[in-house]
Amino acid sequence: MDVDDSGLPDWLTPVARAAGTLEARQLSRFLPPADGEGRPSAVLVLFGEGADGPELLLMERASSLRSHAGQPSFPGGALDPEDGDPDGDGPLRAALREAEEETGLDPSGVQIFATLPALYIPVSDFVVTPVLAWWRRPTPVAPVDPAETARVFTVPVSELADPANRAMAVHPSGHTGPAFSVGPALVWGFTAGVIDRILHHAGWERPWDRDRRVPLDWRA
């Protein structure tokens, strides 16, 4: 595996390059409230190298949680006071702390290389900073607390980019957004939106049928 001067694998270069130029409006129509309200949060968008090439770490939230129950997501959560300044390194610390608490990964093997602009999740009032990282020294991962995390898994980027696995999810409210069907999981909502934009801006996106619709009760 070839790496660049920053220690990142060459295939991550397009992601790092795009992250340095993107504005929030290029990622989502849901932007942080202008009045500064919203709960500062962060997620860890962790890229690794698996048996099938580049991959992303995801988890399935426990079905008993109050918000986003049962939904596949990036590890992450709200900033704690000890994480520090939400406008400084706080999101970086929060993303690593939450990932360790939820999946058991060793943060010392994670190399953060960029952050994306903060975005907004209206349903939970979270202002979320996606923290991009390279899993340079992988460690075993699994749910730490079953009351919080149902399962932890990785998804090859090739599967996410495969047009056969892509669709627009239709929420009962009528809202539509990108979705990915990967194994037994349907990745949708905020997580799918971030993945969709990363694939697009990194040049990894392949033409797919945006008229294909998948209802969010697809497994019923």
Side-chain angles (χ1 to χ4, degrees), residues 12 15 23 40 82 92 109 189-190 200:
L12 259 181
V15 179
E23 299 178 7
E82 60 266 27
L92 281 62
F190 175 86
H200 175 76

Side-chain angles (χ1 to χ4, degrees), residues 169-175 188 215-217:
V170 182
H171 192 274
S173 68
H175 172 73
W188 60 282
L216 287 179
D217 59 351

Side-chain angles (χ1 to χ4, degrees), residues 129-164:
T129 299
V131 177
L132 308 185
W134 159 236
W135 208 358
R136 57 181 173 79
R137 192 174 68 250
T139 50
V141 289
V144 174
D145 182 357
E148 186 172 355
T149 307
R151 68 188 181 106
V152 181
F153 58 104
T154 57
V155 180
V157 171
S158 60
E159 286 190 22
L160 294 167
D162 187 341

Side-chain angles (χ1 to χ4, degrees), residues 114-129:
T115 60
L116 296 179
L119 305 172
Y120 187 54
I121 304 180
V123 67
S124 54
D125 196 35
F126 284 145
V127 174
V128 187
T129 299

Side-chain angles (χ1 to χ4, degrees), residues 38-198:
R39 191 175 183 190
S41 310
V43 295
L44 186 67
V45 183
L46 184 59
F47 292 90
E49 182 89 49
D52 296 314
E55 61 186 15
L56 275 173
L57 179 70
L58 297 176
M59 51 172 270
E60 183 178 315
R61 294 168 59 81
S63 59
S64 58
L65 293 175
R66 286 185 302 171
S67 62
H68 311 291
Q71 192 170 339
S73 68
F74 299 118
L79 269 68
D80 285 347
E82 60 266 27
D83 293 324
D85 185 1
D87 296 319
D89 290 339
L92 281 62
R93 296 190 187 96
L96 290 175
R97 175 182 54 74
E98 286 281 347
E100 182 178 14
E101 292 175 359
E102 292 171 335
T103 75
L105 68 76
D106 182 353
S108 67
V110 174
Q111 177 183 341
I112 293 173
F113 64 87
T115 60
L116 296 179
L119 305 172
Y120 187 54
I121 304 180
V123 67
S124 54
D125 196 35
F126 284 145
V127 174
V128 187
T129 299
V131 177
L132 308 185
W134 159 236
W135 208 358
R136 57 181 173 79
R137 192 174 68 250
T139 50
V141 289
V144 174
D145 182 357
E148 186 172 355
T149 307
R151 68 188 181 106
V152 181
F153 58 104
T154 57
V155 180
V157 171
S158 60
E159 286 190 22
L160 294 167
D162 187 341
N165 297 331
R166 304 210 56 182
M168 295 294 286
V170 182
H171 192 274
S173 68
H175 172 73
T176 62
F180 300 84
S181 178
V182 286
L186 182 70
V187 183
W188 60 282
F190 175 86
T191 303
V194 171
I195 294 173
D196 171 75
R197 293 295 82 198
I198 288 175

